[in-house]
Amino acid sequence: MDKQNLIKKIEEARNSRLIAYITGDRQPFATRIAEDVVPIFNRHLEGIKIKAQPKGSLKISLFIYTRGGDMVAPLRIVKLIRSYCDEFEVLIPYKCHSAGTLIALGADKIVMGRLGELSPVDPTTMHPYNPQNPLNPQQRLEISVEDLNSYFLLAREMAKVKEEEMDKVFENLVNKIHPLSLGNAYRALRMGKMIAEKLLEMPKTKKLSKEEVKKIVDEITSRICIHGYPITRDEAEGLGLPIEKAEGELEKDLWNLYEVYGKEMKLGIPFHPLEVLGDKEIAEVKYTGAYIETDGLLDQFIFKGKIQKTIRDNKPAIDMNIEPPRWNQIK
């Protein structure tokens, strides 16, 4: 089945209207959840609204594959979707990480296949310079909130640093990383917790208590210290999230839809310029880095450019000149 037929089949099974949102993970064309998709989502939701009227209550199913992105964008995306529908669910055939997990927290139901996985929300900020490479001050160093937490845990648990001496541990860190960068990382952690809490308050079908919300937020923002740790559907259910396990024909259809996008975008497959060039000296490259698709509407985030064989320092090399990517309204 092609994408459109699979979308229609899943819509019929879920008694809903489906939006597919796929961000790519193929370097150098990887994409992330970001706020630029908000007006595009609105176009698709308007199209759904027109077709749905006047048929009563509306259920939106968001089919999603992503490795993460901006932390604020999920709040805007979920608020927008919920403003159009009476019920909102996410369909997760495989990876729905970080910012994708935040989107799932705002759903009334999280439908996961056997390979479906959420992940911890580990905000990462950028250090203004890389102390490991002073010759290149423009190179930035990623600072993971979980790395900072683990640094202090290392001091307490393995180095057996006493509590009254932890100020020296902090001082050593400040000498390596600018204090404002540390403050920015802590702000990112607080923001991640706040956004997760706000999203968990949105579902209508299962209202969580303050204690349940705190448990989920602490688990996905602090306790799980590995950013890429896969939270399976059983673990997510154990946390208290509204999980529905996709089974049978539904699970097959969700996986088949993922595979169609996966093959088109070559998800998880490294990009090799020589595959495009072959025997040619120069070749054009065009790649879709993200999709937003509904029944009858399609937007693609497209990379375009040229790849050329060249000689650099008397050695064969490849130059790749990619234009700034942008969203394209296909239909």
Side-chain angles (χ1 to χ4, degrees):
M1 273 192 196
D2 62 19
K3 289 182 296 182
Q4 284 292 306
N5 283 327
L6 280 167
I7 286 173
K8 290 175 183 176
K9 187 178 179 186
I10 295 169
E11 284 182 333
E12 188 173 327
R14 301 305 298 172
N15 190 26
S16 68
R17 296 302 309 276
L18 185 146
I19 302 176
Y21 181 30
I22 317 294
T23 64
D25 54 16
R26 193 185 196 207
Q27 298 293 352
F29 308 112
T31 54
R32 296 163 58 81
I33 292 173
E35 290 196 6
D36 61 348
V37 302
V38 173
I40 299 168
F41 263 96
N42 193 66
R43 183 175 88 90
H44 286 258
L45 288 162
E46 281 291 321
I48 287 173
K49 180 182 176 182
I50 291 170
K51 289 183 179 180
Q53 289 180 344
K55 298 179 181 179
S57 63
L58 176 60
K59 177 180 175 183
I60 299 289
S61 299
L62 179 65
F63 177 93
I64 186 168
Y65 174 90
T66 185
R67 301 303 294 272
D70 178 72
M71 282 198 306
V72 178
L75 192 61
R76 295 196 65 190
I77 291 168
V78 173
K79 281 184 175 181
L80 177 65
I81 293 174
R82 297 196 73 97
S83 71
Y84 276 89
C85 65
D86 303 286
E87 185 179 350
F88 168 50
E89 67 178 13
V90 293
L91 309 176
I92 304 174
Y94 194 15
K95 296 177 180 178
C96 181
H97 291 180
S98 196
T101 296
L102 287 175
I103 290 175
L105 296 184
D108 297 302
K109 190 174 292 182
I110 304 171
V111 183
M112 300 177 71
R114 284 178 176 82
L115 293 178
E117 59 184 53
L118 304 173
S119 82
V121 178
D122 175 18
T124 299
T125 61
M126 300 300 292
H127 188 36
Y129 67 94
N130 187 344
Q132 299 171 358
N133 189 4
L135 296 178
N136 185 6
Q138 299 304 315
Q139 183 180 352
R140 289 172 172 259
L141 175 68
E142 285 192 349
I143 302 174
S144 162
V145 168
E146 283 309 318
D147 285 344
L148 293 179
N149 286 339
S150 296
Y151 169 70
F152 291 110
L153 285 174
L154 175 71
R156 288 189 176 96
E157 296 177 4
M158 296 191 69
K160 304 300 181 183
V161 176
K162 296 178 180 179
E163 200 62 38
E164 59 268 23
E165 296 175 344
M166 286 299 294
D167 58 336
K168 294 179 181 178
V169 174
F170 182 74
E171 185 178 339
N172 288 336
L173 184 65
V174 171
N175 287 335
K176 296 292 184 181
I177 300 177
H178 196 284
L180 292 181
S181 295
L182 294 174
N184 189 36
Y186 184 61
R187 181 180 64 178
L189 174 62
R190 291 178 61 200
M191 182 172 68
K193 286 178 176 286
M194 180 193 72
I195 290 173
E197 288 173 1
K198 286 184 177 294
L199 287 163
L200 284 166
E201 291 169 357
M202 291 183 184
K204 302 174 183 177
T205 53
K206 183 181 179 181
K207 289 296 183 182
L208 299 171
S209 67
K210 290 183 178 180
E211 291 75 19
E212 289 172 321
V213 168
K214 186 178 186 305
K215 174 188 173 183
I216 295 169
V217 171
D218 287 347
E219 196 73 21
I220 67 170
T221 62
S222 299
R223 289 180 188 157
I224 302 176
C225 59
I226 303 172
H227 181 65
Y229 179 84
I231 301 173
T232 64
R233 60 186 187 179
D234 289 330
E235 287 181 271
E237 188 174 42
L239 287 176
L241 292 172
I243 302 298
E244 177 183 331
K245 296 178 180 180
E247 306 286 356
E249 196 71 17
L250 174 63
E251 185 175 26
K252 289 179 184 178
D253 290 336
L254 293 177
W255 186 255
N256 286 339
L257 183 56
Y258 160 74
E259 283 202 320
V260 174
Y261 286 109
K263 287 176 182 177
E264 287 187 11
M265 301 171 72
K266 297 186 177 179
L267 296 174
I269 300 174
F271 173 74
H272 297 292
L274 287 177
E275 292 179 2
V276 179
L277 280 167
D279 296 329
K280 296 179 286 186
E281 293 296 316
I282 187 170
E284 291 188 355
V285 60
K286 183 178 179 182
Y287 181 81
T288 301
Y291 278 87
I292 298 178
E293 186 167 9
T294 51
D295 180 14
L297 296 176
L298 172 62
D299 287 86
Q300 295 177 340
F301 191 74
I302 295 177
F303 294 81
K304 289 182 181 180
K306 292 183 179 180
I307 302 175
Q308 184 174 3
K309 293 179 182 177
T310 185
I311 301 295
R312 191 179 300 116
D313 297 328
N314 295 320
K315 296 179 181 179
I318 294 176
D319 284 336
M320 191 161 67
N321 183 19
I322 303 297
E323 301 171 9
R326 62 186 182 88
W327 281 100
N328 289 258
Q329 182 177 319
I330 308 302
K331 59 181 178 178

